[in-house]
Amino acid sequence: MQREKRVMLGCPPTNINELLEGMGVPPFVPTVEHSLAQCEDCGTDVWIGPNQRAARARAPQATLVVCMACGLIEQAKRGGGAVGHLGGGGGRPRLPG
Ligand SMILES: [Zn+2]
């Protein structure tokens, strides 16, 4: 499938809280349902959520797992477009360490 047609699954990089420090947004806390994946563009470690993982499992050729930074670049290349949210986020927080 053409890259431009693949559904982007934008995932927060594991250092997202460092990147967003001082920007006044609440910290991202991965839940026990999140697992690690790698951005297909830059290889950075990202947290992939259960719904994103399910989407990727259903259609591995039609999805593109990217970190949020690469997702923004890709979105700009595509000239914008809708950004969806797969829901979720209500899981039990993963304990630090
Ligand atoms: Zn990336």
Side-chain angles (χ1 to χ4, degrees):
M1 177 178 278
Q2 282 176 297
R3 180 186 164 93
E4 309 79 60
K5 293 193 175 155
R6 292 166 75 186
V7 175
M8 270 196 293
L9 300 173
C11 301
T14 52
N15 67 342
I16 184 143
N17 292 328
E18 290 164 45
L19 298 176
L20 296 179
E21 196 170 359
M23 294 179 75
V25 295
F28 172 78
V29 182
T31 71
V32 291
E33 295 179 322
H34 282 84
S35 56
L36 284 172
Q38 280 188 320
C39 172
E40 291 186 33
D41 278 357
C42 72
T44 199
D45 286 331
V46 297
W47 289 112
I48 186 167
N51 294 339
Q52 292 171 315
R53 222 165 40 237
R56 182 178 63 171
R58 276 196 305 272
Q61 303 306 319
T63 52
L64 184 67
V65 173
V66 287
C67 72
M68 283 175 171
C70 291
L72 288 173
I73 295 167
E74 178 74 14
Q75 198 188 6
K77 277 188 203 158
R78 296 182 184 191
V83 177
H85 194 274
L86 296 177
R92 187 160 57 91
R94 188 182 286 268
L95 295 173

